[in-house]
Amino acid sequence: QLIDLQKDNTAYFCIVDQHSITVPYDPSTLQDRILDTAASYIAAGVDIHKSVIFVQSHIQAHTELAWLLSTITPHGTMTRMTQFKDKSKKMSSKDAISLALFSYPVLMAADILLYNTDIVPVGEDQKQHVELARDIAQRFNAKYGDIFTIPESYIPEHSARIMSLSDPKKKMSKSDNEKSYIALTDTPDIIRQKISSAVTDTEAVFSFKKSGPAVKNLLHIYKAFSKKEEQDIEQEFTGKNYKEFKDTLAASIISGLRDFQLTYNETRKDDVELRFTLGRGMHRAQGVANATLHKAKEAMGLM
C-alpha cells in the first residue's frame, strides 16, 4: 500500500533509527541496518525522485517536537500503550526498561505531525499509535491554535496483521526467534525451512472461516502473495495435506520476493549512492519539518 499511495500523494519514508535504540542494540551495526532499510524501501518500489526517503536522526525537529508534544501528553494515556506493555515484558529486568521505550509513541506522533500528514499507512497493531498522534494534535490545536493536520490511519483491507509462524496468537516480529518470521532477504532454502516448520492445526482443513488461527494465518500469507481469491484458494487445496500446501506457499513467497531481492542486492552494493539518496531526502524533508516546528514553537510562546 505504501507504493500505491505514493502515486497520487507526496509520501515521506522515514527510517526511524531513534526508535530502534529504545531497545538493546549493537551500535557497530546500526549504520548498516539504516542502509539495509533504505535499500529495502527502494527495492520495494519507492520512487526516490517523487517520494522523500530520509533518516529520522538527521532532522533535529523530530526530537525537539517530541519534547514539546510530551508537555501536553497525559501520563495515564501513555501507560495504556499496548506496544510498550508487550516490549517491556521482553526486557530482562525493570531496570532495562528505558524512559525512551515508554515515551517513543510521542516521538512517533512528532514523526507524523511534522509533515502535515493526512494519512498514515500502518498495520493493525500500530493503529493505537496513530490514534495517539491524533489525540495529541487535537490537544495542541485546542490549546495553542490550529497548527497540526489531524492524521488518519490507512489500514489495508487484507493482511493487516500477519501473525507469527510459531505462535499464531502473536504478530510476526523480527524481535522473536528466527523461525517465527519471514525476512524479505531470506534465501529460498531458509524460506522453505521456515514455512515447513510453521505450526498448523490438527486436521488439514484449508478454510478462511473454519481453519484454526495458525492455518488461517498461512492462508492469508498465501493470498497476499498469490493475489488469488479466497474461494479459489480453498478449492485449490481441498483434499491436500499440509506438506503440499506448505510447498506451494513457500514457492509463492520465493517467487514473490525474487524481484525485490534482486533489486535490493544491487542497490545495497553502493553505500555511497544510498547515502546521497538519504542526504537528498534529508534536505527535502528538513524544510517542511522545520517550518512546522517553527509554527509550533511560535504558538507556544517559545519564539
Side-chain angles (χ1 to χ4, degrees):
Q1 61 174 341
L2 293 172
I3 306 309
D4 290 338
L5 285 169
Q6 74 176 340
K7 295 174 184 175
D8 299 314
N9 301 279
T10 300
Y12 291 85
F13 295 88
C14 179
I15 299 174
V16 289
D17 55 337
Q18 290 175 316
H19 286 295
S20 73
I21 63 173
T22 60
V23 294
Y25 73 103
D26 181 358
S28 67
T29 64
L30 184 56
Q31 287 302 306
D32 280 336
R33 289 167 57 203
I34 289 169
L35 295 178
D36 289 345
T37 305
S40 293
Y41 275 137
I42 294 167
V46 170
D47 184 344
I48 60 174
H49 303 292
K50 185 179 190 313
S51 298
V52 185
I53 177 172
F54 63 99
V55 181
Q56 182 187 36
S57 65
H58 293 179
I59 298 179
Q60 295 179 4
H62 284 256
T63 47
E64 188 170 355
L65 181 61
W67 177 257
L68 301 182
L69 297 180
S70 70
T71 66
I72 61 165
T73 305
H75 175 270
T77 299
M78 298 302 296
T79 62
R80 293 190 287 273
M81 294 288 107
T82 55
Q83 287 280 310
F84 170 73
K85 293 176 183 177
D86 291 344
K87 289 187 176 183
S88 59
K89 286 178 183 176
K90 298 175 183 178
M91 296 298 180
S92 57
S93 69
K94 286 188 176 181
D95 288 340
I97 302 171
S98 68
L99 177 60
L101 182 62
F102 178 73
S103 63
Y104 89 89
V106 181
L107 178 56
M108 184 174 173
D111 300 337
I112 294 167
L113 299 177
L114 277 172
Y115 300 98
N116 309 307
T117 306
D118 295 301
I119 55 175
V120 187
V122 290
E124 196 176 74
D125 59 304
Q126 290 294 327
K127 183 179 179 180
Q128 187 185 36
H129 287 163
V130 181
E131 290 300 317
L132 177 67
R134 287 174 52 84
D135 180 62
I136 290 174
Q138 290 165 344
R139 283 175 178 273
F140 191 100
N141 289 354
K143 188 170 185 177
Y144 296 113
D146 192 14
I147 302 297
F148 296 119
T149 301
I150 310 301
E152 297 278 354
S153 297
Y154 188 93
I155 300 174
E157 184 179 350
H158 304 291
S159 307
R161 190 179 179 91
I162 300 299
M163 310 308 285
S164 164
L165 297 178
S166 55
D167 183 356
K169 295 179 182 177
K170 296 163 55 180
K171 73 166 187 171
M172 186 178 285
S173 172
K174 297 191 299 294
S175 59
D176 287 336
N177 71 80
E178 289 189 355
K179 288 186 177 182
S180 71
Y181 65 86
I182 300 291
L184 295 175
T185 54
D186 278 345
T187 65
D189 283 346
I190 290 175
I191 291 172
R192 291 188 193 97
Q193 290 170 12
K194 289 181 177 180
I195 294 299
S196 176
S197 65
V199 298
T200 52
D201 303 316
T202 305
E203 295 184 27
V205 176
F206 301 102
S207 168
F208 284 88
K209 293 182 179 178
K210 297 178 182 178
S211 293
V215 175
K216 278 184 183 177
N217 184 46
L218 297 178
L219 285 169
H220 279 292
I221 295 173
Y222 182 65
K223 178 181 177 181
F225 277 94
S226 69
K227 304 293 192 295
K228 295 179 180 179
E229 296 297 326
E230 292 184 0
Q231 62 268 26
D232 295 331
I233 294 172
E234 291 174 348
Q235 186 174 354
E236 179 181 357
F237 295 106
T238 298
K240 300 288 181 68
N241 58 39
Y242 282 133
K243 184 182 184 307
E244 293 171 305
F245 169 64
K246 286 183 174 182
D247 286 346
T248 304
L249 171 58
S252 182
I253 295 171
I254 291 165
S255 175
L257 292 180
R258 185 173 294 119
D259 287 345
F260 168 90
Q261 292 182 350
L262 287 171
T263 306
Y264 172 87
N265 290 331
E266 190 62 31
T267 304
R268 192 61 186 85
K269 290 178 183 177
D270 194 342
D271 282 11
V272 174
E273 183 56 35
L274 269 177
R275 292 184 190 279
F276 273 126
T277 296
L278 295 174
R280 289 189 291 267
M282 177 193 71
H283 289 297
R284 291 176 66 188
Q286 205 161 36
V288 178
N290 287 346
T292 305
L293 177 63
H294 183 93
K295 288 193 292 183
K297 291 175 72 173
E298 197 171 46
M300 295 179 75
L302 295 171
M303 296 187 73

